[in-house]
Amino acid sequence: MGRRWRDGRGELVVSGDGGGPSVRVPLEIATSYRARTKGLLGRDSIEGAILLSHANSVHTFRMRMPIDVAYLDRHLRVIAVRTMRPGRLGMPRQRARHVLEAGAGVMGEWGVRKGARVEVVVSGS
């Protein structure tokens, strides 16, 4: 189940509860050390979300906004979702392989919650 994404863009697909409609969200993919390190630093907002891969923890030092953070396992199942204010250090999640970040409050609207499964669709594929 190894995923080999590259830095770029795509879509995050969150399956609807009980077979309801899926939610599709613009997604930035950050896989290189440089892209993962930069993440959302220096931004006032983000349209959609950013996926940090491979990662199992994040921090919000030098961030300008609170964010929602979802920790994903290797099957893209959500292990935990947290809202983090600027200046915080998130504890590493042992089973996490990827971290999804978005503006505070939006993940609940999208249906991203513990146990949910998401899909990453890369642009051009």
Side-chain angles (χ1 to χ4, degrees):
M1 197 105 205
R3 289 174 171 77
R4 297 260 182 220
W5 297 305
R6 294 178 182 238
D7 293 348
R9 298 199 174 275
E11 276 189 321
L12 177 72
V13 181
V14 183
S15 300
D17 289 335
S22 297
V23 175
R24 299 178 84 82
V25 178
L27 182 68
E28 293 179 35
I29 302 169
T31 60
S32 69
Y33 176 78
R34 183 176 185 174
R36 287 191 323 264
T37 301
K38 184 169 192 244
L40 296 177
L41 293 177
R43 299 190 200 189
D44 293 320
S45 65
I46 180 172
E47 180 181 338
I50 185 169
L51 177 73
L52 308 175
S53 181
H54 290 296
N56 67 356
S57 67
V58 296
H59 68 81
T60 57
F61 300 121
R62 297 184 2 221
M63 283 201 180
R64 298 178 180 171
M65 61 182 174
I67 60 172
D68 280 351
V69 178
Y71 299 90
L72 309 175
D73 69 11
R74 66 184 181 153
H75 302 290
L76 300 182
R77 187 169 301 277
V78 179
I79 297 169
V81 180
R82 299 287 181 262
T83 300
M84 294 177 64
R85 296 189 324 248
R88 303 287 183 223
L89 177 64
M91 296 302 293
R93 300 287 171 157
Q94 192 171 18
R95 294 183 310 127
R97 297 296 179 266
H98 316 282
V99 175
L100 192 62
E101 297 179 343
V106 298
M107 286 195 190
E109 295 171 13
W110 299 339
V112 176
R113 58 186 49 90
K114 184 177 180 178
R117 186 172 289 211
V118 299
E119 180 183 352
V120 174
V121 179
V122 178
S123 295
S125 56

